[in-house]
Amino acid sequence: MPPLLKDKTEKLFPKISSPHLFAAHSSSQIVWGFFAALIPIWIAGVVAYGFAAVWVFVLAVGFSCGAQYVFGKRTWIQLGGAAFMGGLLTLLLPAQIPWQGVALGSLISSLMGQVAFGGLGQNIFHPALVGYAALFLLAPDWFSNRASESLGTTSIFAVVFSSLFLLFKKWIAWRTPFFYLLALGVFSSFFGRSFISELFNGSIFLAAFFFMTDPVTAPVTSRGRAGFAIATAFLTAMLRFWAEPLPAALCSVFFLNGFVPLLDRWTQPKLKMAS
Amino acid sequence: MDGWLLTAFFGLAVAQIALYQIPSKQALHGFWFLGFFYFFLFAFAQGVALFSRLFSLPFYEFPLFFLAVFVLFRRTGKPFPQFGKQVRLAPDFYLFSAIWMGVIWLSFILTVVWAVHEPLLHGRWQEIYVQSFFWSFFPALVLPVLAGIRDRLALLDPPKAFEGLPVFLIASAIFLLAILFFLSFINSSSGR
């Protein structure tokens, strides 16, 4: 090939390694965007509980980043996964929780939920829910009374505002929360509960928009997502009817995270041979 | 299912998936077989419980009673030909599962069904059979779910120290945590 033509060809078709397809935002930008979406919910928590909410946030994010810095890779912190996970854990904890609880929850979330699997985007179970469930089982007294409501459920308007931001940026698919809320309404009516009071609840919206839409732990296929949403709605309605626990939605999402690999396998689209 | 029984049951399921290394697609084939196996075991044990209650027959007399029934009413030929055919067709994996999980299951039944045969006597059949349906098909789903988790882990890139069995054990432990978290609400509500 003549040198001039070669230069022109390389300019038009540069030789670069994959990926050759680019999205509008990198994964790091999306994760930091999710982190920014949590700010209105934290502000609502700070308004309701004062300095205690700030302290929980600082501790959770600090311990999560610290654990990933020591046991993981520095790039994981730059990608924002550790900070986002700490921020989400803050929303699940009550403001009155002792600092040891926040530290333990953050360490369990980081180490068991993320570092052991290989960092951001590798985990099967939602890391924030791993830490939350472990704390809930280890020290149920911290979550027992209604005064110890989690920070993320103080204002439903803040959760809705953050969810709309994520939907507007197209960082989450609308189908999963839509199917979930619709199915939850139907199942709640089936169990003889009020449609409105069951649906308009901070923890329900938090689970629907922040935990069920997690791109790592939610199913990949559209049929799988619909099945995941309906199954979670059924378990949530059943738990709320049976035991009325505050974290029914989060508990259902965490439990069904284990079924996601199977759901993905089950709902794989079948290739049709052209005749 | 209570503490140690659930842990023993789950631990054996994890060990089986780790040892056999079967893909989730294959594990799904055993779902109906195991589910119905536990369901019939449950129904059988409940029937025995009801029988013992109605005829005031203590538990330790049952082997003698069955021997007497066998001697008096024995028939030539196989009692359950269809089930025998199914057993021959099922791969070793499911037979092994059915046997050891059945043993744990039976211990669960002996502790729980004996306690819940009271509503059975009062004609609350639906309550009992919804419960037994759940407790039969949910454990049958544990093996495919664990196999699915193992399949997914093979695609990940964990740190070298965690590759293989350690990361599978950690994932299984988190799944057990999720089950215990879920059951803690149900147990607390039934305790009220």
Side-chain angles (χ1 to χ4, degrees), chain B residues 31-55:
Chain B
F31 171 69
W32 294 110
F33 176 80
L34 288 178
F36 280 112
F37 180 82
Y38 299 138
F39 189 64
F40 286 123
L41 197 65
F42 210 103
F44 173 74
Q46 278 173 340
V48 170
L50 188 64
F51 188 83
S52 74
R53 173 71 184 247
L54 288 174
F55 294 95

Side-chain angles (χ1 to χ4, degrees), chain A residues 112 115-118 122 124-125 130 132-134 136-137 235 238-239 242-243 245 247 251 254-255 258-259 261-262 264-265, chain B residues 24 138 141 144-145 148-149 151-153 156-159 162 167 170-171 174-175 177-182 185 189 192:
Chain A
M112 262 185 86
V115 173
F117 292 95
Q122 304 274 322
I124 293 175
F125 295 88
V130 174
Y132 175 63
F136 203 97
L137 290 176
L235 288 185
M238 194 185 81
L239 272 184
W242 208 342
C251 175
F254 184 41
F255 178 64
F259 290 74
L262 196 66
D264 273 338
R265 162 76 69 165
Chain B
S24 56
F138 173 67
L141 202 57
V145 167
I149 289 174
D151 283 357
R152 175 66 66 88
L153 289 173
L156 304 183
D157 184 25
F162 291 105
V167 76
I170 289 171
I174 295 174
F175 188 49
L177 186 74
I179 295 173
L180 290 174
F181 187 39
F182 190 82
F185 294 120
S189 72
R192 268 187 233 166

